[in-house]
Amino acid sequence: YSLILLKPRRKQPVDAKWSQGPRVPLDVILDGIEDDGCNLGFRPGITSKTKDGKFIHVIDVDVRDDELADEAFAKLEELFGRKFLKACGRVISGSGGKSRHFHFVMDRPMRAKTIAHSRDKFKCEKTGKMRWRWEIEVFGEGKQIVLPPSIHPDTGAEYEWLQVPTTLPTLESEQLDEILDDLTREAADFSEEDL
């Protein structure tokens, strides 16, 4: 994991150039957590390269409407399969809802991609923006992910490991390409039927 420090009780990196710099030494990370109360995050993709030449990524399941959690997780399982998901390192978000992170490795680094989302949106009270009720993304290059035991900025609750990663499962880039192709065809079929 290419670890980075996040501002205390925030998701924002301490270093404004977090996405461009070299890996942060572990002693700097530990000092930031212990002395300054910083949250902890990591940079997926090219800087999080494993000893066997694979790259750590995360599937982010962001459930903003708990009533639709079953729908979101049914779609997640349809896309990636139960066996693969159970093998992932899994994190419970500190948001207090059903949101989860699934850690895995890929054979090549990739940029973040939205994979699926709910049918409709709602207006977020905090930001005033329209948001999907649930959304599934693969986090890669250009993203940073909060790690336990960070504190969520809105709820004050800790991020927690549901399953600590020991050996992460591999998703080959070709498998993800197939998932994306299937979703594109599915969307095109829906559009044609909808007309």
Side-chain angles (χ1 to χ4, degrees), residues 26-40:
L26 185 57
D27 60 330
V28 173
I29 295 290
L30 294 175
D31 287 347
I33 293 170
E34 292 170 11
D35 298 342
D36 302 325
C38 289
N39 272 349
L40 179 64

Side-chain angles (χ1 to χ4, degrees), residues 2 21 26 35 40 43 47 53 59 64 67 74 96 128 140 142 144 158 163 172 178 184 193:
S2 179
L26 185 57
D35 298 342
L40 179 64
R43 296 162 45 187
T47 58
I59 300 167
R64 299 180 185 102
E67 291 182 15
Q144 60 85 12
E158 277 190 12
Q163 179 169 307
E172 299 295 338
E178 286 176 19
T184 301
E193 292 172 7

Side-chain angles (χ1 to χ4, degrees), residues 64 120-133:
R64 299 180 185 102
D120 61 335
K121 294 183 175 183
F122 71 102
K123 188 172 184 175
C124 177
E125 290 180 23
K126 184 177 178 181
T127 64
K129 295 179 182 178
M130 297 301 289
R131 308 286 304 269
W132 296 112
R133 295 186 181 280

Side-chain angles (χ1 to χ4, degrees), residues 42-83:
F42 90 98
R43 296 162 45 187
I46 201 158
T47 58
S48 287
K49 188 174 182 179
T50 63
K51 290 178 184 177
D52 61 353
K54 295 181 180 174
F55 303 89
I56 303 172
H57 290 75
V58 170
I59 300 167
D60 175 50
V61 183
D62 202 350
V63 180
R64 299 180 185 102
D65 181 344
D66 283 352
E67 291 182 15
L68 296 180
D70 288 345
E71 179 182 304
F73 285 102
K75 186 64 175 180
L76 179 72
E77 190 172 320
E78 174 192 326
L79 294 171
F80 295 99
R82 180 183 295 246
K83 184 178 179 183

Side-chain angles (χ1 to χ4, degrees), residues 76-193:
L76 179 72
E77 190 172 320
E78 174 192 326
L79 294 171
F80 295 99
R82 180 183 295 246
K83 184 178 179 183
F84 172 79
L85 295 168
K86 287 188 86 132
C88 290
R90 297 191 304 274
V91 172
I92 300 171
S93 172
S95 64
K98 304 282 185 181
S99 297
R100 301 285 186 271
H101 296 166
F102 295 80
H103 295 232
F104 67 99
V105 293
M106 287 186 65
D107 56 326
R108 65 175 167 83
M110 59 159 283
R111 294 204 61 78
K113 295 182 185 303
T114 298
I115 302 294
H117 54 73
S118 59
R119 289 189 180 99
D120 61 335
K121 294 183 175 183
F122 71 102
K123 188 172 184 175
C124 177
E125 290 180 23
K126 184 177 178 181
T127 64
K129 295 179 182 178
M130 297 301 289
R131 308 286 304 269
W132 296 112
R133 295 186 181 280
W134 60 263
E135 189 170 14
I136 299 170
E137 295 179 80
V138 174
F139 281 174
E141 292 292 312
K143 291 279 190 173
Q144 60 85 12
I145 292 113
V146 180
L147 287 171
S150 298
I151 305 297
H152 194 279
D154 297 331
T155 65
E158 277 190 12
Y159 285 74
E160 296 178 52
W161 285 108
L162 184 60
Q163 179 169 307
V164 176
T166 50
T167 302
L168 294 174
T170 300
L171 180 69
E172 299 295 338
S173 54
E174 291 174 358
Q175 291 173 282
L176 183 59
D177 290 342
E178 286 176 19
I179 290 169
L180 294 171
D181 288 346
D182 289 347
L183 289 169
T184 301
R185 280 192 294 277
E186 201 176 279
D189 291 345
F190 178 76
S191 297
E192 289 173 13
E193 292 172 7

